Amino acid sequence: AQTVTQSQPEMSVQEAETVTLSCTYDTSENNYYLFWYKQPPSRQMILVIRQEAYKQQNATENRFSVNFQKAAKSFSLKISDSQLGDTAMYFCAFMNRAGGTSYGKLTFGQGTILTVHP
Amino acid sequence: SAVISQKPSRDICQRGTSLTIQCQVDSQVTMMFWYRQQPGQSLTLIATANQGSEATYESGFVIDKFPISRPNLTFSTLTVSNMSPEDSSIYLCSVVGTGGAWTEAFFGQGTRLTVV
């Protein structure tokens, strides 16, 4: 079984500044996906960024980038030039890439509430 | 990508009653997933719904409490039975979409359930 840990219940950042959200995970699998999802007050889960474990290059999506350290089982999210619309709960999530009964199931971290201040 | 329509978006129910949540996907998918998000908490998988077979429940969740239907490849329902205030949560359905080398989980808008 996998576990995902987010050790920062809440974070805050000033608009236009940079913030990093931490995530560690534990798994015996070698082939998997890692995701960061954003959940604003609307409750809609929005994919922020994804990383495939077999890729060494860190994923980037505009202002969002990750620092993926496979050996350390660490997957942090960096948000640059923070905007007021980034205020939300952020979840780190793990998905086993292998087929079988575990495919498609997401294991989530506890979440980090990010507040961007003007 | 996949677009998921989930309803109702919210409901307030009396204890002891049942609520059925519907999830409609705009494309055919093999597996659909149901998650529960208790207030201020993370998402926990309830069960996996496969078309043509019984749903597979995670530890701590049972079919009598959360019966699931999956009549076809685009639709599923989750029923929360004999509700108590502890069932007050957000319930979300999800599907996994793949496109070439990538995989992503898509979610419905969630159903906010309050049991009084």
Side-chain angles (χ1 to χ4, degrees):
Chain A
Q2 290 71 230
T3 60
V4 179
T5 302
Q6 293 177 249
S7 58
Q8 304 156 314
E10 295 185 38
M11 294 282 284
S12 63
V13 64
Q14 293 295 127
E15 198 174 8
E17 298 289 307
T18 295
V19 64
T20 298
L21 308 184
S22 301
C23 174
T24 59
Y25 60 95
D26 190 24
T27 183
S28 59
E29 302 292 337
N30 192 51
N31 198 2
Y32 50 87
Y33 296 99
L34 293 165
F35 303 91
W36 279 97
Y37 279 90
K38 166 185 175 181
Q39 187 182 42
S42 67
R43 306 193 303 271
Q44 181 70 54
M45 293 288 285
I46 302 166
L47 178 67
V48 174
I49 198 166
R50 65 177 151 249
Q51 175 81 41
E52 292 160 279
Y54 71 87
K55 291 186 176 179
Q56 293 185 335
Q57 185 174 7
N58 289 324
T60 62
E61 287 286 343
N62 301 314
R63 299 183 294 108
F64 300 89
S65 62
V66 298
N67 183 2
F68 174 48
Q69 302 289 329
K70 189 173 184 179
K73 295 179 180 171
S74 171
F75 183 60
S76 61
L77 173 69
K78 185 171 82 171
I79 305 175
S80 303
D81 186 24
S82 297
Q83 301 175 358
L84 297 178
D86 295 333
T87 294
M89 173 83 91
Y90 286 79
F91 291 101
C92 178
F94 174 102
M95 181 192 295
N96 190 353
R97 189 175 180 177
T101 58
S102 64
Y103 179 74
K105 299 180 181 180
L106 283 166
T107 301
F108 288 89
Q110 301 90 327
T112 297
I113 299 172
L114 176 67
T115 303
V116 181
H117 297 284
Chain B
S1 67
V3 177
I4 303 175
S5 175
Q6 185 176 338
K7 58 182 181 182
S9 61
R10 61 177 63 226
D11 208 339
I12 301 173
C13 300
Q14 296 290 323
R15 68 178 66 200
T17 62
S18 298
L19 176 71
T20 296
I21 302 167
Q22 299 179 4
C23 188
Q24 178 78 50
V25 189
D26 68 344
S27 57
Q28 294 184 338
V29 293
T30 304
M31 291 183 289
M32 297 178 72
F33 303 90
W34 287 98
Y35 291 87
R36 181 177 73 180
Q37 185 178 19
Q38 294 178 299
Q41 310 257 334
S42 185
L43 286 76
T44 301
L45 182 65
I46 298 171
T48 303
N50 299 305
Q51 194 269 335
S53 64
E54 292 283 332
T56 305
Y57 290 82
E58 299 297 308
S59 176
F61 298 97
V62 296
I63 187 171
D64 289 347
K65 178 66 176 177
F66 299 100
I68 287 172
S69 77
R70 185 78 200 277
N72 57 54
L73 290 173
T74 64
F75 187 78
S76 179
T77 67
L78 170 76
T79 299
V80 186
S81 302
N82 188 24
M83 288 184 285
S84 67
E86 292 70 35
D87 295 319
S88 297
S89 297
I90 297 170
Y91 294 85
L92 299 102
C93 64
S94 172
V95 301
V96 173
T98 58
W102 57 262
T103 292
E104 177 181 344
F106 300 90
F107 291 85
Q109 308 95 315
T111 297
R112 183 184 294 276
L113 171 62
T114 302
V115 183
V116 297

